[in-house]
Amino acid sequence: MNKALLILLSTAVLASCAQLQPAPEPQAQQPRETADAAYYPTYLYRGLRVLPGTVNQIDWSRVSFGVSGNPPTLSLFNNMANPAAYPCWLRITVDVPGNPPPVPLVIGDLTIPNPPPGGANPGPWPVFFDNVPPGHWSIARATIGGASNNQASDRAAAVFTAMAHPPLPTAIIRDGSAVGCH
């Protein structure tokens, strides 16, 4: 190949490279289901019992976190419509898609400690809003873990106890018919 042709080809290749725009940096992609909807924090409440003979010390056992029903679930409510119904309440935050207030059949996400205490299934746990009775949400036994309602109740108690206590409490205790719940 002659020298002039080699220079011409080299110059043409360099010129074409100089005209290319730099490739944009890749951006992290969100999964499709989260890219279309914003998530909003929604407070949910669970009524809690107190230990007999104590000064409003919460019973952090399955007594306060009973899984029941058909299908078996743990019930939560979007308000404390009747604060006197329970001595104490636990307020948790669930991330719900869409603009509040949520409509029935929406599913929110409850972030739980990782690793989950008490042998519970890892999270986030889906929380289903059925609004029956009004304001009702539920977590399925299969989500919580355990082969029986009692096992699921024990696991739910361990998770919610951890959420309400240090090192990083993410659930808040509220007084109901009792004052000074702890």
Side-chain angles (χ1 to χ4, degrees), residues 43-48 58 60 64-65 76-77 79-80 86-93 156-157 159-165 170-176 181:
Y43 295 136
L44 299 182
Y45 298 86
R46 174 72 191 180
L48 304 174
I58 294 171
W60 290 104
S64 289
F65 298 95
L76 303 161
F77 288 88
N79 60 52
M80 295 182 341
Y86 288 94
C88 307
W89 292 83
L90 186 67
R91 185 184 85 182
I92 61 170
T93 303
V159 167
F160 287 108
T161 300
M163 290 175 66
H165 293 88
T170 57
I172 296 173
I173 298 166
R174 296 279 187 218
D175 290 344
C181 294

PDB file of all heavy atoms in Angstrom, residues 43-48 58 60 64-65 76-77 79-80 86-93 156-157 159-165 170-176 181:
ATOM      1  N   TYR A  43     -49.227   4.572  57.906  1.00  0.00           N
ATOM      2  CA  TYR A  43     -49.190   4.020  59.257  1.00  0.00           C
ATOM      3  C   TYR A  43     -50.270   2.962  59.417  1.00  0.00           C
ATOM      4  O   TYR A  43     -51.408   3.166  59.029  1.00  0.00           O
ATOM      5  CB  TYR A  43     -49.415   5.101  60.310  1.00  0.00           C
ATOM      6  CG  TYR A  43     -48.331   6.152  60.364  1.00  0.00           C
ATOM      7  CD1 TYR A  43     -48.657   7.487  60.470  1.00  0.00           C
ATOM      8  CD2 TYR A  43     -46.986   5.805  60.309  1.00  0.00           C
ATOM      9  CE1 TYR A  43     -47.671   8.464  60.518  1.00  0.00           C
ATOM     10  CE2 TYR A  43     -46.001   6.758  60.356  1.00  0.00           C
ATOM     11  CZ  TYR A  43     -46.347   8.087  60.466  1.00  0.00           C
ATOM     12  OH  TYR A  43     -45.369   9.038  60.516  1.00  0.00           O
ATOM     13  N   LEU A  44     -49.870   1.842  60.017  1.00  0.00           N
ATOM     14  CA  LEU A  44     -50.810   0.790  60.392  1.00  0.00           C
ATOM     15  C   LEU A  44     -50.633   0.501  61.879  1.00  0.00           C
ATOM     16  O   LEU A  44     -49.560   0.733  62.450  1.00  0.00           O
ATOM     17  CB  LEU A  44     -50.567  -0.484  59.576  1.00  0.00           C
ATOM     18  CG  LEU A  44     -50.728  -0.352  58.065  1.00  0.00           C
ATOM     19  CD1 LEU A  44     -50.495  -1.698  57.391  1.00  0.00           C
ATOM     20  CD2 LEU A  44     -52.080   0.201  57.695  1.00  0.00           C
ATOM     21  N   TYR A  45     -51.691  -0.022  62.488  1.00  0.00           N
ATOM     22  CA  TYR A  45     -51.707  -0.225  63.934  1.00  0.00           C
ATOM     23  C   TYR A  45     -52.104  -1.650  64.283  1.00  0.00           C
ATOM     24  O   TYR A  45     -52.967  -2.239  63.640  1.00  0.00           O
ATOM     25  CB  TYR A  45     -52.693   0.744  64.596  1.00  0.00           C
ATOM     26  CG  TYR A  45     -52.312   2.185  64.378  1.00  0.00           C
ATOM     27  CD1 TYR A  45     -52.718   2.861  63.232  1.00  0.00           C
ATOM     28  CD2 TYR A  45     -51.545   2.863  65.315  1.00  0.00           C
ATOM     29  CE1 TYR A  45     -52.365   4.178  63.028  1.00  0.00           C
ATOM     30  CE2 TYR A  45     -51.188   4.184  65.114  1.00  0.00           C
ATOM     31  CZ  TYR A  45     -51.598   4.838  63.968  1.00  0.00           C
ATOM     32  OH  TYR A  45     -51.242   6.144  63.755  1.00  0.00           O
ATOM     33  N   ARG A  46     -51.488  -2.143  65.356  1.00  0.00           N
ATOM     34  CA  ARG A  46     -51.816  -3.454  65.909  1.00  0.00           C
ATOM     35  C   ARG A  46     -52.090  -3.274  67.392  1.00  0.00           C
ATOM     36  O   ARG A  46     -51.261  -2.715  68.129  1.00  0.00           O
ATOM     37  CB  ARG A  46     -50.649  -4.433  65.699  1.00  0.00           C
ATOM     38  CG  ARG A  46     -50.809  -5.777  66.361  1.00  0.00           C
ATOM     39  CD  ARG A  46     -51.831  -6.629  65.693  1.00  0.00           C
ATOM     40  NE  ARG A  46     -52.119  -7.803  66.517  1.00  0.00           N
ATOM     41  CZ  ARG A  46     -52.968  -8.732  66.185  1.00  0.00           C
ATOM     42  NH1 ARG A  46     -53.624  -8.652  65.052  1.00  0.00           N
ATOM     43  NH2 ARG A  46     -53.182  -9.754  66.974  1.00  0.00           N
ATOM     44  N   GLY A  47     -53.277  -3.715  67.853  1.00  0.00           N
ATOM     45  CA  GLY A  47     -53.602  -3.652  69.271  1.00  0.00           C
ATOM     46  C   GLY A  47     -52.771  -4.649  70.052  1.00  0.00           C
ATOM     47  O   GLY A  47     -52.568  -5.782  69.614  1.00  0.00           O
ATOM     48  N   LEU A  48     -52.266  -4.233  71.217  1.00  0.00           N
ATOM     49  CA  LEU A  48     -51.401  -5.069  72.051  1.00  0.00           C
ATOM     50  C   LEU A  48     -52.009  -5.272  73.427  1.00  0.00           C
ATOM     51  O   LEU A  48     -52.701  -4.408  73.953  1.00  0.00           O
ATOM     52  CB  LEU A  48     -50.026  -4.405  72.214  1.00  0.00           C
ATOM     53  CG  LEU A  48     -49.273  -4.061  70.933  1.00  0.00           C
ATOM     54  CD1 LEU A  48     -48.010  -3.276  71.255  1.00  0.00           C
ATOM     55  CD2 LEU A  48     -48.944  -5.313  70.148  1.00  0.00           C
ATOM     56  N   ILE A  58     -46.125  -4.264  78.079  1.00  0.00           N
ATOM     57  CA  ILE A  58     -46.691  -4.948  76.913  1.00  0.00           C
ATOM     58  C   ILE A  58     -46.337  -6.427  76.922  1.00  0.00           C
ATOM     59  O   ILE A  58     -45.218  -6.816  77.251  1.00  0.00           O
ATOM     60  CB  ILE A  58     -46.199  -4.284  75.609  1.00  0.00           C
ATOM     61  CG1 ILE A  58     -46.756  -2.864  75.534  1.00  0.00           C
ATOM     62  CG2 ILE A  58     -46.605  -5.091  74.380  1.00  0.00           C
ATOM     63  CD1 ILE A  58     -46.179  -2.033  74.415  1.00  0.00           C
ATOM     64  N   TRP A  60     -45.276  -9.084  74.808  1.00  0.00           N
ATOM     65  CA  TRP A  60     -44.650  -9.206  73.487  1.00  0.00           C
ATOM     66  C   TRP A  60     -44.678 -10.666  72.995  1.00  0.00           C
ATOM     67  O   TRP A  60     -43.831 -11.068  72.210  1.00  0.00           O
ATOM     68  CB  TRP A  60     -43.218  -8.690  73.525  1.00  0.00           C
ATOM     69  CG  TRP A  60     -43.151  -7.206  73.701  1.00  0.00           C
ATOM     70  CD1 TRP A  60     -42.843  -6.533  74.835  1.00  0.00           C
ATOM     71  CD2 TRP A  60     -43.418  -6.215  72.707  1.00  0.00           C
ATOM     72  NE1 TRP A  60     -42.905  -5.193  74.612  1.00  0.00           N
ATOM     73  CE2 TRP A  60     -43.251  -4.958  73.314  1.00  0.00           C
ATOM     74  CE3 TRP A  60     -43.790  -6.264  71.361  1.00  0.00           C
ATOM     75  CZ2 TRP A  60     -43.440  -3.762  72.630  1.00  0.00           C
ATOM     76  CZ3 TRP A  60     -43.974  -5.078  70.681  1.00  0.00           C
ATOM     77  CH2 TRP A  60     -43.800  -3.841  71.307  1.00  0.00           C
ATOM     78  N   SER A  64     -50.333 -11.063  71.881  1.00  0.00           N
ATOM     79  CA  SER A  64     -50.564  -9.785  71.205  1.00  0.00           C
ATOM     80  C   SER A  64     -50.479  -9.887  69.682  1.00  0.00           C
ATOM     81  O   SER A  64     -50.846  -8.937  68.992  1.00  0.00           O
ATOM     82  CB  SER A  64     -49.550  -8.743  71.687  1.00  0.00           C
ATOM     83  OG  SER A  64     -49.816  -8.357  73.015  1.00  0.00           O
ATOM     84  N   PHE A  65     -49.982 -10.999  69.169  1.00  0.00           N
ATOM     85  CA  PHE A  65     -49.758 -11.117  67.725  1.00  0.00           C
ATOM     86  C   PHE A  65     -50.386 -12.385  67.155  1.00  0.00           C
ATOM     87  O   PHE A  65     -49.786 -13.079  66.347  1.00  0.00           O
ATOM     88  CB  PHE A  65     -48.254 -11.065  67.429  1.00  0.00           C
ATOM     89  CG  PHE A  65     -47.637  -9.769  67.857  1.00  0.00           C
ATOM     90  CD1 PHE A  65     -47.023  -9.641  69.088  1.00  0.00           C
ATOM     91  CD2 PHE A  65     -47.722  -8.662  67.039  1.00  0.00           C
ATOM     92  CE1 PHE A  65     -46.487  -8.442  69.504  1.00  0.00           C
ATOM     93  CE2 PHE A  65     -47.184  -7.442  67.440  1.00  0.00           C
ATOM     94  CZ  PHE A  65     -46.567  -7.330  68.670  1.00  0.00           C
ATOM     95  N   LEU A  76     -54.066  -5.957  60.951  1.00  0.00           N
ATOM     96  CA  LEU A  76     -53.620  -4.607  61.273  1.00  0.00           C
ATOM     97  C   LEU A  76     -54.725  -3.656  60.815  1.00  0.00           C
ATOM     98  O   LEU A  76     -55.567  -4.032  59.995  1.00  0.00           O
ATOM     99  CB  LEU A  76     -52.320  -4.278  60.532  1.00  0.00           C
ATOM    100  CG  LEU A  76     -51.144  -5.223  60.779  1.00  0.00           C
ATOM    101  CD1 LEU A  76     -50.118  -5.097  59.681  1.00  0.00           C
ATOM    102  CD2 LEU A  76     -50.517  -4.923  62.124  1.00  0.00           C
ATOM    103  N   PHE A  77     -54.697  -2.428  61.326  1.00  0.00           N
ATOM    104  CA  PHE A  77     -55.695  -1.432  60.922  1.00  0.00           C
ATOM    105  C   PHE A  77     -55.014  -0.115  60.594  1.00  0.00           C
ATOM    106  O   PHE A  77     -53.944   0.180  61.122  1.00  0.00           O
ATOM    107  CB  PHE A  77     -56.748  -1.244  62.012  1.00  0.00           C
ATOM    108  CG  PHE A  77     -57.669  -2.426  62.114  1.00  0.00           C
ATOM    109  CD1 PHE A  77     -57.355  -3.496  62.926  1.00  0.00           C
ATOM    110  CD2 PHE A  77     -58.827  -2.480  61.354  1.00  0.00           C
ATOM    111  CE1 PHE A  77     -58.185  -4.602  62.994  1.00  0.00           C
ATOM    112  CE2 PHE A  77     -59.664  -3.585  61.420  1.00  0.00           C
ATOM    113  CZ  PHE A  77     -59.347  -4.648  62.241  1.00  0.00           C
ATOM    114  N   ASN A  79     -55.932   2.776  61.434  1.00  0.00           N
ATOM    115  CA  ASN A  79     -56.106   3.786  62.470  1.00  0.00           C
ATOM    116  C   ASN A  79     -56.418   3.091  63.795  1.00  0.00           C
ATOM    117  O   ASN A  79     -56.650   1.896  63.839  1.00  0.00           O
ATOM    118  CB  ASN A  79     -57.214   4.781  62.102  1.00  0.00           C
ATOM    119  CG  ASN A  79     -58.551   4.097  61.926  1.00  0.00           C
ATOM    120  OD1 ASN A  79     -59.010   3.358  62.782  1.00  0.00           O
ATOM    121  ND2 ASN A  79     -59.193   4.345  60.800  1.00  0.00           N
ATOM    122  N   MET A  80     -56.426   3.902  64.832  1.00  0.00           N
ATOM    123  CA  MET A  80     -56.833   3.420  66.148  1.00  0.00           C
ATOM    124  C   MET A  80     -58.259   3.941  66.368  1.00  0.00           C
ATOM    125  O   MET A  80     -58.504   4.764  67.249  1.00  0.00           O
ATOM    126  CB  MET A  80     -55.906   3.956  67.244  1.00  0.00           C
ATOM    127  CG  MET A  80     -54.501   3.455  67.139  1.00  0.00           C
ATOM    128  SD  MET A  80     -53.350   4.001  68.460  1.00  0.00           S
ATOM    129  CE  MET A  80     -54.064   5.400  69.222  1.00  0.00           C
ATOM    130  N   TYR A  86     -57.893  -1.667  73.085  1.00  0.00           N
ATOM    131  CA  TYR A  86     -56.673  -2.342  73.539  1.00  0.00           C
ATOM    132  C   TYR A  86     -55.936  -1.431  74.502  1.00  0.00           C
ATOM    133  O   TYR A  86     -55.958  -0.205  74.346  1.00  0.00           O
ATOM    134  CB  TYR A  86     -55.749  -2.665  72.355  1.00  0.00           C
ATOM    135  CG  TYR A  86     -56.266  -3.776  71.486  1.00  0.00           C
ATOM    136  CD1 TYR A  86     -57.018  -3.506  70.352  1.00  0.00           C
ATOM    137  CD2 TYR A  86     -56.000  -5.104  71.800  1.00  0.00           C
ATOM    138  CE1 TYR A  86     -57.506  -4.526  69.554  1.00  0.00           C
ATOM    139  CE2 TYR A  86     -56.484  -6.135  71.007  1.00  0.00           C
ATOM    140  CZ  TYR A  86     -57.227  -5.836  69.886  1.00  0.00           C
ATOM    141  OH  TYR A  86     -57.706  -6.850  69.104  1.00  0.00           O
ATOM    142  N   PRO A  87     -55.232  -2.027  75.464  1.00  0.00           N
ATOM    143  CA  PRO A  87     -54.467  -1.189  76.382  1.00  0.00           C
ATOM    144  C   PRO A  87     -53.364  -0.402  75.661  1.00  0.00           C
ATOM    145  O   PRO A  87     -53.100   0.749  75.992  1.00  0.00           O
ATOM    146  CB  PRO A  87     -53.858  -2.178  77.373  1.00  0.00           C
ATOM    147  CG  PRO A  87     -54.606  -3.452  77.198  1.00  0.00           C
ATOM    148  CD  PRO A  87     -55.183  -3.437  75.820  1.00  0.00           C
ATOM    149  N   CYS A  88     -52.720  -1.033  74.675  1.00  0.00           N
ATOM    150  CA  CYS A  88     -51.600  -0.415  73.975  1.00  0.00           C
ATOM    151  C   CYS A  88     -51.702  -0.718  72.481  1.00  0.00           C
ATOM    152  O   CYS A  88     -52.371  -1.675  72.084  1.00  0.00           O
ATOM    153  CB  CYS A  88     -50.273  -0.961  74.508  1.00  0.00           C
ATOM    154  SG  CYS A  88     -50.103  -0.826  76.301  1.00  0.00           S
ATOM    155  N   TRP A  89     -51.026   0.093  71.700  1.00  0.00           N
ATOM    156  CA  TRP A  89     -51.013  -0.074  70.246  1.00  0.00           C
ATOM    157  C   TRP A  89     -49.589   0.017  69.734  1.00  0.00           C
ATOM    158  O   TRP A  89     -48.759   0.721  70.300  1.00  0.00           O
ATOM    159  CB  TRP A  89     -51.845   1.013  69.569  1.00  0.00           C
ATOM    160  CG  TRP A  89     -53.311   0.897  69.833  1.00  0.00           C
ATOM    161  CD1 TRP A  89     -53.996   1.356  70.918  1.00  0.00           C
ATOM    162  CD2 TRP A  89     -54.283   0.279  68.989  1.00  0.00           C
ATOM    163  NE1 TRP A  89     -55.334   1.063  70.815  1.00  0.00           N
ATOM    164  CE2 TRP A  89     -55.535   0.404  69.626  1.00  0.00           C
ATOM    165  CE3 TRP A  89     -54.220  -0.359  67.756  1.00  0.00           C
ATOM    166  CZ2 TRP A  89     -56.712  -0.091  69.079  1.00  0.00           C
ATOM    167  CZ3 TRP A  89     -55.389  -0.848  67.207  1.00  0.00           C
ATOM    168  CH2 TRP A  89     -56.623  -0.717  67.860  1.00  0.00           C
ATOM    169  N   LEU A  90     -49.320  -0.681  68.653  1.00  0.00           N
ATOM    170  CA  LEU A  90     -48.036  -0.594  67.977  1.00  0.00           C
ATOM    171  C   LEU A  90     -48.288   0.023  66.615  1.00  0.00           C
ATOM    172  O   LEU A  90     -49.150  -0.456  65.863  1.00  0.00           O
ATOM    173  CB  LEU A  90     -47.416  -1.988  67.821  1.00  0.00           C
ATOM    174  CG  LEU A  90     -45.999  -2.026  67.255  1.00  0.00           C
ATOM    175  CD1 LEU A  90     -45.023  -1.394  68.239  1.00  0.00           C
ATOM    176  CD2 LEU A  90     -45.588  -3.463  66.955  1.00  0.00           C
ATOM    177  N   ARG A  91     -47.568   1.100  66.306  1.00  0.00           N
ATOM    178  CA  ARG A  91     -47.701   1.751  64.994  1.00  0.00           C
ATOM    179  C   ARG A  91     -46.495   1.376  64.147  1.00  0.00           C
ATOM    180  O   ARG A  91     -45.354   1.537  64.562  1.00  0.00           O
ATOM    181  CB  ARG A  91     -47.765   3.270  65.148  1.00  0.00           C
ATOM    182  CG  ARG A  91     -48.024   3.956  63.800  1.00  0.00           C
ATOM    183  CD  ARG A  91     -48.003   5.450  63.932  1.00  0.00           C
ATOM    184  NE  ARG A  91     -46.612   5.888  63.822  1.00  0.00           N
ATOM    185  CZ  ARG A  91     -46.222   7.144  63.940  1.00  0.00           C
ATOM    186  NH1 ARG A  91     -47.086   8.090  64.231  1.00  0.00           N
ATOM    187  NH2 ARG A  91     -44.955   7.447  63.832  1.00  0.00           N
ATOM    188  N   ILE A  92     -46.771   0.845  62.960  1.00  0.00           N
ATOM    189  CA  ILE A  92     -45.719   0.495  62.011  1.00  0.00           C
ATOM    190  C   ILE A  92     -45.934   1.298  60.733  1.00  0.00           C
ATOM    191  O   ILE A  92     -47.017   1.839  60.502  1.00  0.00           O
ATOM    192  CB  ILE A  92     -45.701  -1.018  61.700  1.00  0.00           C
ATOM    193  CG1 ILE A  92     -47.023  -1.454  61.066  1.00  0.00           C
ATOM    194  CG2 ILE A  92     -45.397  -1.824  62.953  1.00  0.00           C
ATOM    195  CD1 ILE A  92     -47.015  -2.869  60.517  1.00  0.00           C
ATOM    196  N   THR A  93     -44.917   1.360  59.919  1.00  0.00           N
ATOM    197  CA  THR A  93     -45.009   2.071  58.651  1.00  0.00           C
ATOM    198  C   THR A  93     -44.875   1.076  57.510  1.00  0.00           C
ATOM    199  O   THR A  93     -43.945   0.270  57.488  1.00  0.00           O
ATOM    200  CB  THR A  93     -43.903   3.136  58.551  1.00  0.00           C
ATOM    201  OG1 THR A  93     -44.010   4.017  59.662  1.00  0.00           O
ATOM    202  CG2 THR A  93     -44.034   3.923  57.260  1.00  0.00           C
ATOM    203  N   ALA A 156     -44.203 -13.624  64.396  1.00  0.00           N
ATOM    204  CA  ALA A 156     -44.648 -12.233  64.266  1.00  0.00           C
ATOM    205  C   ALA A 156     -44.289 -11.464  65.532  1.00  0.00           C
ATOM    206  O   ALA A 156     -43.814 -10.313  65.458  1.00  0.00           O
ATOM    207  CB  ALA A 156     -46.148 -12.180  64.007  1.00  0.00           C
ATOM    208  N   ALA A 157     -44.488 -12.073  66.700  1.00  0.00           N
ATOM    209  CA  ALA A 157     -44.144 -11.414  67.966  1.00  0.00           C
ATOM    210  C   ALA A 157     -42.658 -11.074  68.002  1.00  0.00           C
ATOM    211  O   ALA A 157     -42.279  -9.969  68.409  1.00  0.00           O
ATOM    212  CB  ALA A 157     -44.524 -12.317  69.142  1.00  0.00           C
ATOM    213  N   VAL A 159     -40.599 -10.550  65.455  1.00  0.00           N
ATOM    214  CA  VAL A 159     -40.304  -9.490  64.481  1.00  0.00           C
ATOM    215  C   VAL A 159     -40.765  -8.138  65.001  1.00  0.00           C
ATOM    216  O   VAL A 159     -40.011  -7.152  64.996  1.00  0.00           O
ATOM    217  CB  VAL A 159     -40.943  -9.815  63.115  1.00  0.00           C
ATOM    218  CG1 VAL A 159     -40.923  -8.596  62.192  1.00  0.00           C
ATOM    219  CG2 VAL A 159     -40.232 -10.993  62.465  1.00  0.00           C
ATOM    220  N   PHE A 160     -42.006  -8.049  65.477  1.00  0.00           N
ATOM    221  CA  PHE A 160     -42.531  -6.757  65.920  1.00  0.00           C
ATOM    222  C   PHE A 160     -41.865  -6.287  67.219  1.00  0.00           C
ATOM    223  O   PHE A 160     -41.699  -5.088  67.426  1.00  0.00           O
ATOM    224  CB  PHE A 160     -44.046  -6.797  66.039  1.00  0.00           C
ATOM    225  CG  PHE A 160     -44.708  -6.821  64.690  1.00  0.00           C
ATOM    226  CD1 PHE A 160     -45.325  -7.960  64.218  1.00  0.00           C
ATOM    227  CD2 PHE A 160     -44.708  -5.700  63.873  1.00  0.00           C
ATOM    228  CE1 PHE A 160     -45.927  -7.994  62.973  1.00  0.00           C
ATOM    229  CE2 PHE A 160     -45.305  -5.715  62.624  1.00  0.00           C
ATOM    230  CZ  PHE A 160     -45.919  -6.866  62.169  1.00  0.00           C
ATOM    231  N   THR A 161     -41.466  -7.211  68.075  1.00  0.00           N
ATOM    232  CA  THR A 161     -40.717  -6.835  69.271  1.00  0.00           C
ATOM    233  C   THR A 161     -39.394  -6.192  68.865  1.00  0.00           C
ATOM    234  O   THR A 161     -39.014  -5.146  69.397  1.00  0.00           O
ATOM    235  CB  THR A 161     -40.459  -8.067  70.167  1.00  0.00           C
ATOM    236  OG1 THR A 161     -41.709  -8.621  70.554  1.00  0.00           O
ATOM    237  CG2 THR A 161     -39.639  -7.703  71.394  1.00  0.00           C
ATOM    238  N   ALA A 162     -38.701  -6.810  67.926  1.00  0.00           N
ATOM    239  CA  ALA A 162     -37.431  -6.243  67.447  1.00  0.00           C
ATOM    240  C   ALA A 162     -37.650  -4.871  66.801  1.00  0.00           C
ATOM    241  O   ALA A 162     -36.831  -3.964  66.973  1.00  0.00           O
ATOM    242  CB  ALA A 162     -36.776  -7.195  66.447  1.00  0.00           C
ATOM    243  N   MET A 163     -38.754  -4.713  66.088  1.00  0.00           N
ATOM    244  CA  MET A 163     -39.024  -3.434  65.425  1.00  0.00           C
ATOM    245  C   MET A 163     -39.314  -2.319  66.429  1.00  0.00           C
ATOM    246  O   MET A 163     -39.113  -1.147  66.120  1.00  0.00           O
ATOM    247  CB  MET A 163     -40.193  -3.585  64.452  1.00  0.00           C
ATOM    248  CG  MET A 163     -39.859  -4.420  63.229  1.00  0.00           C
ATOM    249  SD  MET A 163     -41.286  -4.720  62.158  1.00  0.00           S
ATOM    250  CE  MET A 163     -41.635  -3.059  61.569  1.00  0.00           C
ATOM    251  N   ALA A 164     -39.791  -2.665  67.621  1.00  0.00           N
ATOM    252  CA  ALA A 164     -40.173  -1.659  68.615  1.00  0.00           C
ATOM    253  C   ALA A 164     -39.060  -1.333  69.613  1.00  0.00           C
ATOM    254  O   ALA A 164     -39.251  -0.479  70.472  1.00  0.00           O
ATOM    255  CB  ALA A 164     -41.410  -2.137  69.370  1.00  0.00           C
ATOM    256  N   HIS A 165     -37.914  -1.998  69.497  1.00  0.00           N
ATOM    257  CA  HIS A 165     -36.847  -1.810  70.478  1.00  0.00           C
ATOM    258  C   HIS A 165     -35.524  -1.474  69.791  1.00  0.00           C
ATOM    259  O   HIS A 165     -35.344  -1.766  68.608  1.00  0.00           O
ATOM    260  CB  HIS A 165     -36.702  -3.074  71.326  1.00  0.00           C
ATOM    261  CG  HIS A 165     -37.899  -3.317  72.196  1.00  0.00           C
ATOM    262  ND1 HIS A 165     -38.994  -4.035  71.766  1.00  0.00           N
ATOM    263  CD2 HIS A 165     -38.184  -2.892  73.445  1.00  0.00           C
ATOM    264  CE1 HIS A 165     -39.899  -4.056  72.730  1.00  0.00           C
ATOM    265  NE2 HIS A 165     -39.439  -3.374  73.756  1.00  0.00           N
ATOM    266  N   THR A 170     -38.190   0.826  64.629  1.00  0.00           N
ATOM    267  CA  THR A 170     -38.934   1.319  63.464  1.00  0.00           C
ATOM    268  C   THR A 170     -40.432   1.280  63.702  1.00  0.00           C
ATOM    269  O   THR A 170     -41.200   1.653  62.832  1.00  0.00           O
ATOM    270  CB  THR A 170     -38.596   0.479  62.213  1.00  0.00           C
ATOM    271  OG1 THR A 170     -38.894  -0.892  62.485  1.00  0.00           O
ATOM    272  CG2 THR A 170     -37.133   0.623  61.836  1.00  0.00           C
ATOM    273  N   ALA A 171     -40.841   0.826  64.865  1.00  0.00           N
ATOM    274  CA  ALA A 171     -42.247   0.800  65.254  1.00  0.00           C
ATOM    275  C   ALA A 171     -42.392   1.631  66.527  1.00  0.00           C
ATOM    276  O   ALA A 171     -41.469   1.713  67.332  1.00  0.00           O
ATOM    277  CB  ALA A 171     -42.711  -0.634  65.490  1.00  0.00           C
ATOM    278  N   ILE A 172     -43.545   2.245  66.692  1.00  0.00           N
ATOM    279  CA  ILE A 172     -43.772   3.142  67.821  1.00  0.00           C
ATOM    280  C   ILE A 172     -44.911   2.609  68.682  1.00  0.00           C
ATOM    281  O   ILE A 172     -45.949   2.204  68.164  1.00  0.00           O
ATOM    282  CB  ILE A 172     -44.110   4.557  67.312  1.00  0.00           C
ATOM    283  CG1 ILE A 172     -42.907   5.112  66.552  1.00  0.00           C
ATOM    284  CG2 ILE A 172     -44.511   5.478  68.459  1.00  0.00           C
ATOM    285  CD1 ILE A 172     -43.190   6.422  65.864  1.00  0.00           C
ATOM    286  N   ILE A 173     -44.703   2.624  69.985  1.00  0.00           N
ATOM    287  CA  ILE A 173     -45.719   2.187  70.941  1.00  0.00           C
ATOM    288  C   ILE A 173     -46.622   3.387  71.264  1.00  0.00           C
ATOM    289  O   ILE A 173     -46.120   4.479  71.538  1.00  0.00           O
ATOM    290  CB  ILE A 173     -45.061   1.651  72.226  1.00  0.00           C
ATOM    291  CG1 ILE A 173     -44.193   0.435  71.887  1.00  0.00           C
ATOM    292  CG2 ILE A 173     -46.115   1.307  73.271  1.00  0.00           C
ATOM    293  CD1 ILE A 173     -43.253   0.024  72.997  1.00  0.00           C
ATOM    294  N   ARG A 174     -47.935   3.159  71.235  1.00  0.00           N
ATOM    295  CA  ARG A 174     -48.918   4.192  71.548  1.00  0.00           C
ATOM    296  C   ARG A 174     -49.810   3.698  72.686  1.00  0.00           C
ATOM    297  O   ARG A 174     -50.135   2.508  72.754  1.00  0.00           O
ATOM    298  CB  ARG A 174     -49.804   4.489  70.335  1.00  0.00           C
ATOM    299  CG  ARG A 174     -49.061   5.072  69.160  1.00  0.00           C
ATOM    300  CD  ARG A 174     -48.877   6.529  69.382  1.00  0.00           C
ATOM    301  NE  ARG A 174     -48.319   7.141  68.192  1.00  0.00           N
ATOM    302  CZ  ARG A 174     -47.431   8.099  68.247  1.00  0.00           C
ATOM    303  NH1 ARG A 174     -47.022   8.550  69.396  1.00  0.00           N
ATOM    304  NH2 ARG A 174     -46.958   8.624  67.145  1.00  0.00           N
ATOM    305  N   ASP A 175     -50.216   4.611  73.542  1.00  0.00           N
ATOM    306  CA  ASP A 175     -51.166   4.276  74.595  1.00  0.00           C
ATOM    307  C   ASP A 175     -52.555   4.077  74.008  1.00  0.00           C
ATOM    308  O   ASP A 175     -52.947   4.782  73.067  1.00  0.00           O
ATOM    309  CB  ASP A 175     -51.232   5.379  75.654  1.00  0.00           C
ATOM    310  CG  ASP A 175     -49.953   5.447  76.489  1.00  0.00           C
ATOM    311  OD1 ASP A 175     -49.162   4.493  76.469  1.00  0.00           O
ATOM    312  OD2 ASP A 175     -49.777   6.477  77.166  1.00  0.00           O
ATOM    313  N   GLY A 176     -53.275   3.132  74.557  1.00  0.00           N
ATOM    314  CA  GLY A 176     -54.682   2.925  74.221  1.00  0.00           C
ATOM    315  C   GLY A 176     -55.507   3.211  75.462  1.00  0.00           C
ATOM    316  O   GLY A 176     -55.541   4.336  75.952  1.00  0.00           O
ATOM    317  N   CYS A 181     -47.685   2.805  78.270  1.00  0.00           N
ATOM    318  CA  CYS A 181     -47.348   1.488  77.717  1.00  0.00           C
ATOM    319  C   CYS A 181     -45.854   1.405  77.467  1.00  0.00           C
ATOM    320  O   CYS A 181     -45.234   2.351  76.975  1.00  0.00           O
ATOM    321  CB  CYS A 181     -48.104   1.268  76.408  1.00  0.00           C
ATOM    322  SG  CYS A 181     -49.888   1.143  76.618  1.00  0.00           S
TER     323      CYS A 181
END
